[in-house]
Amino acid sequence: MAGVLRMREAAAPGRSGTARGALVRLVLVRLAASFAVLWGAVTATFVLLQVMPGSTADVLLARSSVTPAIRARLVAEYGLDDPLPVQYLTYLGRIARGEFGESYVLRRPVWDEIAAQLPDTLLLVATTLLVTVVVSVLAGLLSVNRRAWVRSLFAAAESLVVALPPFWLGLLLLTVFSFTLHWFPAIGSSSPAGLVLPTVALAAGPAAVVAGVLREGLLRAMEEPFVVTARARGIGEAALRLRHVLRHALLPVTTLLGWIAGSLIGGAVIIEIVFSRQGIGRLALSAVANKDMPVVVAVVLVTAVAFVLLTITVDILTWVIDPRTRDAGR
Amino acid sequence: MTAEDPLVAVRDLTVRFPVRRGEVEAVRGVSFRIGRGQIVAIVGESGSGKSVTARSLVGLAGEGAHVAATELAFDGIDLRAVRGRGWRAVRGRRVGFVLQDALGSLDPLRRVGAEVAEPLRAHGVVPAREVDAEVVRLLGEAGIPAPEGRARQYPHQLSGGLRQRALIASALAARPDLLIADEPTTALDATVQRQVLGLLRERVGHGTAVLLISHDLGVVAEIADHVYVMKDGLFVEDGPAARVLESPSHPYTRTLVGAALGRAARPRVTPGGSPREVLRAEGLVKEFTLPGRGAFTAVEDVSVTVRAGETLGVVGESGSGKTTLGRLLMGLLDPDAGRVLLDGRPWDGLRGHARRTARRGVQMIYQHPLSSFDPRYTARQILEEPLRAAGTAGRERAVRVARVLEHVGLSPAVLDRHARELSGGQRQRLAIARALAPEPQVIVCDEPVSALDASIQAQVLDVLADVQERLGVAYVFISHDLGVIRGLSHRVVVMKDGRVVESGETRRVLDHPAHPYTRALLDAVPRFAVRGRLRSRA
């Protein structure tokens, strides 16, 4: 350790170049690892769909009664009677080439379907994240230097909000703000006003959780010796919180936010239904119910890719926030 | 600098803190003055109230503190009337504060330059576009080499001495009239300590007054004009530094003077061990690579042997490779060349279970025990963990815990407390007890007493000597403190730049050093040059 310290001294200026190199390496390693994640996700999907009851041929033939000969031709065409390993490898090969095929049910290319739904979902996730961050940072900063009972009040309110089921909150918001006050539309994905209520319903829980974590982080950081030093320099309490303490508290929060954003992509389904919105979650739900294999696979892949990208984003954010992690790759 | 016009005038200062039942009076009515351009020191051991006294001058005595005084004035400002925002004009601008704990006092997420710039920006000392240049100038003034590069670095990339100097630069940035320095040299080795004291003295030359808080009379003797000796919230003695140190009248001052002269911290060298070797290192080499910067050799061709029941002292300044050597001996690092043999068996040949079993034979004690304890663990859990890992049964564990507790002189009452609820001395005893629990043959002690007060230091060293006498455990004792090394070690190795430059019997090496570096180390120890001072003043 002593030796290490001295070595760092020797290597004083201009280290940022190598530190940036370390970040690039980190991202590359993450990307490589993400292929394993994607492969795992695709394989798990295949297995799950195989063990689910009902045959794919029935799905394909859902709306028509056909002769056994036609049915047999269909089965052969889709390779449904091949041995499982062969089906699996064909499936992997198609995905690797980016051929997701057509939806069994909607009879449209899967990508068209995804492309139609994704913008709505991403927009909702983005607004939800934004509201989560703004609300939790405000709540955290406002509550942290209060008396203990004020903090307990905040904590109690947060527990209550976390305990609210989002669909119930959604219905409540609809009743009050759409049906009674007519402030916001009750359905639809198109207008910005239509985004407000679903965002609130989705962000409430995460915002409450993040606010709690953030406050704990702030409280912990406020006890660090550098806080007294900063105060002794004559800076104001607001500057102390924004310049020093908040960054420390944000470290655990970034990881949490990454996870929240990832789970919202496929997990906003209940809110999408309550507010009659389009979205990936809804698409996934109907695809699973219909055993619409191509769509399910595509949704899983999109979600997995989103998680991978978010993980890398969190890594980069951590790298930006905490200089100590930059030397860790040594 | 007349007595009628002091910079700081304090009369009957009391500071009370609310505790669960009632209050604790940390400062119980102290009065002192600091003249312009004067160096005043408050000396006392931890818990004496000296830090709280100093912090009261900037309104940072602590959460819930009740500060009262019949006079509390800084340059004509009645500090008792200052509230909230009013303090901001005083803090940083008029009074610079260097807090204890250089490691934690710089925000680890911000560049050193930004930290130093903070008082400049907060008080608008220089125009915004000149801040960067001013920061570089301040860092250079504080004796930091290549200040442009340092300003862009983060605190963890700086050594302890550099961080301490950066902190002082930050406290001096707005050119305050008073600099309060709380233990500015604790945990710094002798050479750096000297540089930091030189820096303080130089500022005084520019008219800044200094309030120095320290437990180390050796430091105070070097630079203070006037000394207040504090014990249990009261000043027991004060006077010109030379007088107080030369002829202390209060028994407590005498203890402190004794400690500084190395009298109190006089641990025993135990009768010593058998010729049996328990730990042997042969030709150890350890390099660290920096991305894009090649290799740095922290330990180069080091061979040492440790015999049962003896203490091997490892001396050197920070950066000499002492700690890396300790980690290699512990098997926490693998050497690039050479090998470590424990009881004749090499570490590196062992893997998995065998390695873990062998590890019980070598334990470690750190400088900051608190950070080596799980904050959620009670003392009992801390002591039981290594036993659990060794598969000791429940009833046997309780017996062993009681035994090691007795060895280190801790009462069983501490078992249900968390480490942070223990005093510094108790924590280090707990660390020793934990190291003893797996019944090791060797304990590597890395600066185990350098963060402790002199009298506590003596107690902990005593415990170490006791344990060695009773259990025959061997120590590898890493320290920059030659006094401590001399008091405890049978043999000593002196390290510089990763190499052993001298080794042998402790007395031989320290009394008749052969290598110029050993002589330089011995010379850098702050002397109690009271007589010399008196002469120079007369």
Side-chain angles (χ1 to χ4, degrees), chain B residues 118-324:
Chain B
E118 198 160 61
L120 294 174
R121 295 187 203 277
H123 301 291
V125 180
V126 294
R129 61 195 146 71
E130 289 169 27
V131 165
D132 289 346
E134 179 69 7
V135 165
V136 170
R137 199 187 63 73
L138 285 162
L139 288 174
E141 206 177 75
I144 293 181
E148 295 90 351
R150 295 298 179 192
R152 287 197 300 271
Q153 285 189 301
Y154 289 93
H156 73 271
Q157 295 169 323
L158 267 56
S159 68
L162 285 177
R163 267 184 279 194
Q164 186 63 272
R165 274 175 272 182
L167 264 181
I168 294 177
S170 148
L172 288 170
R175 300 191 196 94
D177 305 298
L178 173 67
L179 177 73
I180 301 176
D182 193 349
E183 303 279 8
T185 61
T186 311
L188 297 182
D189 60 48
T191 320
V192 182
Q193 190 167 326
R194 211 174 229 199
Q195 289 165 353
V196 168
L197 292 179
L199 175 61
L200 293 182
R201 203 183 284 124
E202 198 229 52
R203 290 316 301 171
V204 173
H206 289 79
T208 312
V210 174
L211 175 60
L212 182 66
I213 309 295
S214 182
H215 70 263
D216 187 345
L217 268 175
V219 167
V220 168
E222 288 228 359
I223 63 168
D225 298 304
H226 198 94
V227 175
Y228 294 87
V229 180
M230 193 161 190
K231 183 180 194 303
D232 300 333
L234 287 171
F235 289 161
V236 294
E237 182 169 4
D238 81 280
R243 207 275 297 147
V244 170
L245 301 171
E246 181 82 330
S247 49
S249 58
H250 194 278
Y252 180 66
T253 317
R254 268 181 242 132
T255 318
L256 284 181
V257 171
L261 289 170
R263 279 205 295 263
R266 185 185 292 163
R268 315 181 301 283
V269 178
T270 61
S274 63
R276 187 171 67 91
E277 275 179 13
V278 288
L279 190 67
R280 180 188 187 87
E282 296 171 348
L284 291 182
V285 176
K286 183 68 193 175
E287 288 189 351
F288 292 108
T289 46
L290 265 184
R293 296 210 164 253
F296 165 80
T297 309
V299 167
E300 202 165 356
D301 192 22
V302 170
S303 302
V304 294
T305 55
V306 185
R307 291 192 276 264
E310 77 159 7
T311 302
L312 175 72
V314 180
V315 208
E317 305 205 320
S318 60
S320 60
K322 308 187 296 277
T323 297
T324 306

Side-chain angles (χ1 to χ4, degrees), chain A residues 2-3 6 8-9 11-13 15 18 225-226 229 231-234 236 243-244 247-248 322-324 327 330, chain B residues 88 91-92 99 101 104-105 107-110 115 118-119 123 150 153-154 156-157 159 170 289 291 293 296 319:
Chain A
R6 217 174 58 95
R8 287 192 179 139
E9 269 183 65
R15 295 174 38 83
T18 55
F226 64 77
T229 302
R231 282 199 175 121
R233 292 183 184 129
R243 269 189 242 149
H244 292 274
R247 273 181 86 176
H248 287 259
D322 191 348
R324 290 168 296 187
D327 297 331
R330 203 168 26 87
Chain B
R88 283 162 59 184
R91 294 178 191 158
L99 275 121
D101 185 9
S105 289
D107 188 337
L109 304 189
R110 304 182 77 217
E115 288 285 276
E118 198 160 61
H123 301 291
R150 295 298 179 192
Q153 285 189 301
Y154 289 93
H156 73 271
Q157 295 169 323
S159 68
S170 148
T289 46
R293 296 210 164 253
F296 165 80

Side-chain angles (χ1 to χ4, degrees), chain B residues 393-441:
Chain B
R395 196 170 306 162
E396 170 72 9
R397 276 206 301 272
V399 174
R400 296 260 291 268
V401 164
R403 199 188 305 149
V404 293
L405 217 53
E406 194 218 307
H407 282 318
V408 299
L410 277 177
S411 112
V414 304
L415 279 176
D416 295 313
R417 285 202 245 157
H418 293 273
R420 62 172 184 280
E421 298 168 313
L422 303 177
S423 72
Q426 285 175 322
R427 284 174 196 160
Q428 202 52 285
R429 284 169 196 248
L430 183 61
I432 298 172
R434 176 179 59 182
L436 286 175
E439 299 181 345
Q441 294 179 293

